[in-house]
């Protein structure tokens, strides 16, 4: 993430030239970030006690399979190579020196600098979890935490009113409260992150706006069937999807 930010010079990847070396270098680091995030999710879903290399190899196989049709161009090649290099570092034996592969853009450095030691199998899950926490905004800026706390009561009141008001059964009320928290957190992600000035973190693709729309979708679900726990659960699923989408993209690069 640090190398991607430095390469992009705090610009959105959408504004970088598709033909420039800066774009290829940034895409290399973006690919590493995306591949490592996928590896972390695969490790989290793996059976306890399983070899951590197995899910990582499965992720790498998918990245290798993406090369070819529909992935032409310097930016795509750099993106895929960055992802493969990031996964190769996780799979490297402990103590192996790693660096950028031969095919990376001239100004790119690999996900770890040359001479650094790759993590061993025992620490790999912890490394993946820590990286994903940063990718997903695990350490939120105080302004976003504060915004979530401030918005939650207001959204709860609005959602309860949309869903038929009180009195209501306890399960429905609990679900609506969870919807309010998730919706508040989703809206809070649009606040700028550390060092981003005052410009809102709107993202650079249409999918970034979709997360905010899930808040409206949740209100629609609740008003469509007042006091129905099933519709409250649907509303929670909608805002949960939006929040997940924002957590995986906020302060990172846009999806490719």
């Amino acid at each position: 993430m640090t190398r991607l930010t430095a390469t992009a010079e705090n610009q959105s990847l959408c504004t970088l030239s598709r033909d420039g070396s800066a774009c290829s270098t940034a895409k290399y680091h973006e690919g590493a970030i995306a591949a490592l995030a996928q590896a972390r999710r695969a490790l989290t879903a793996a059976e306890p006690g399983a070899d951590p290399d197995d899910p990582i190899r499965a992720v790498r196989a998918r990245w290798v399979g993406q090369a070819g049709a529909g992935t032409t161009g310097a930016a795509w090649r750099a993106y895929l190579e960055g992802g493969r290099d990031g996964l190769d570092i996780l799979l490297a034996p402990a103590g192996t020196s790693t660096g950028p592969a031969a095919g990376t853009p001239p100004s790119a450095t690999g996900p770890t600098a040359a001479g650094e030691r790759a993590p061993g199998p025992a620490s790999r899950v912890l490394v993946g979890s820590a990286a994903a926490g940063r990718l997903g905004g695990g350490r939120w800026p105080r302004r976003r935490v504060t915004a979530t706390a401030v918005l939650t009561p207001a959204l709860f009141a609005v959602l309860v009113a949309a869903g038929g008001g009180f009195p209501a059964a306890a399960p429905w009320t609990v679900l609506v409260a969870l919807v309010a928290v998730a919706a508040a957190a989703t809206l809070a992600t649009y606040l700028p992150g550390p060092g981003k000035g005052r410009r809102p973190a709107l993202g650079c693709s249409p999918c970034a706006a979709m997360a905010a729309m899930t808040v409206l979708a949740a209100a629609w679900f609740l008003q469509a069937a007042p006091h129905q726990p099933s519709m409250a659960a649907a509303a929670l699923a909608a805002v949960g999807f939006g929040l997940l989408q924002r957590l995986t993209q906020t302060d990172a690069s846009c999806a490719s």
Side-chain angles (χ1 to χ4, degrees):
M1 284 296 295
T2 300
R3 292 190 176 103
L4 175 61
T5 301
T7 301
E9 298 179 343
N10 291 321
Q11 300 180 61
S12 163
L13 291 185
C14 298
T15 66
L16 294 177
S17 170
R18 290 291 180 180
D19 299 321
S21 61
C23 179
S24 294
T25 305
K27 296 298 286 186
Y28 178 89
H29 297 311
E30 183 190 8
I33 290 168
L36 292 172
Q38 291 178 17
R40 190 260 187 174
R41 290 193 292 269
L43 287 168
T44 301
E47 292 292 333
D51 184 351
D53 285 349
D54 290 341
I56 297 174
R57 290 193 187 101
V59 173
R60 189 185 187 282
R62 292 198 297 270
W63 277 75
V64 171
Q66 291 182 60
T71 59
T72 58
W76 256 113
R77 289 195 298 271
Y79 180 85
L80 294 176
E81 186 147 15
R84 292 194 298 268
D85 284 355
L87 296 170
D88 286 342
I89 288 170
L90 290 184
L91 293 169
T96 301
S97 296
T98 57
T104 57
S107 58
T109 55
T112 61
E116 291 181 357
R117 298 170 70 88
S123 63
R124 204 167 290 147
V125 174
L126 296 179
V127 171
S129 297
R134 290 189 293 272
L135 286 172
R139 296 180 180 177
W140 266 23
R142 182 175 299 177
R143 68 181 70 175
R144 290 180 182 168
V145 175
T146 302
T148 300
V150 171
L151 289 172
T152 295
L155 287 172
F156 178 66
V158 171
L159 293 170
V160 167
F166 286 123
W172 182 87
T173 303
V174 171
L175 286 171
V176 174
L178 293 175
V179 172
V181 174
T186 300
L187 296 178
T189 62
Y190 289 92
L191 292 175
K196 303 294 185 180
R198 297 184 178 181
R199 175 179 295 181
L202 299 178
C204 60
S205 65
C207 63
M210 181 176 64
M213 297 300 294
T214 62
V215 178
L216 298 178
W220 183 87
F221 278 121
L222 293 173
Q223 68 85 28
H227 295 167
Q228 293 298 315
S230 60
M231 296 303 283
L236 181 59
V239 293
F241 172 80
L243 179 59
L244 178 63
Q245 188 266 339
R246 288 295 295 171
L247 290 179
T248 55
Q249 293 186 9
T250 301
D251 297 331
S253 55
C254 294
S256 295

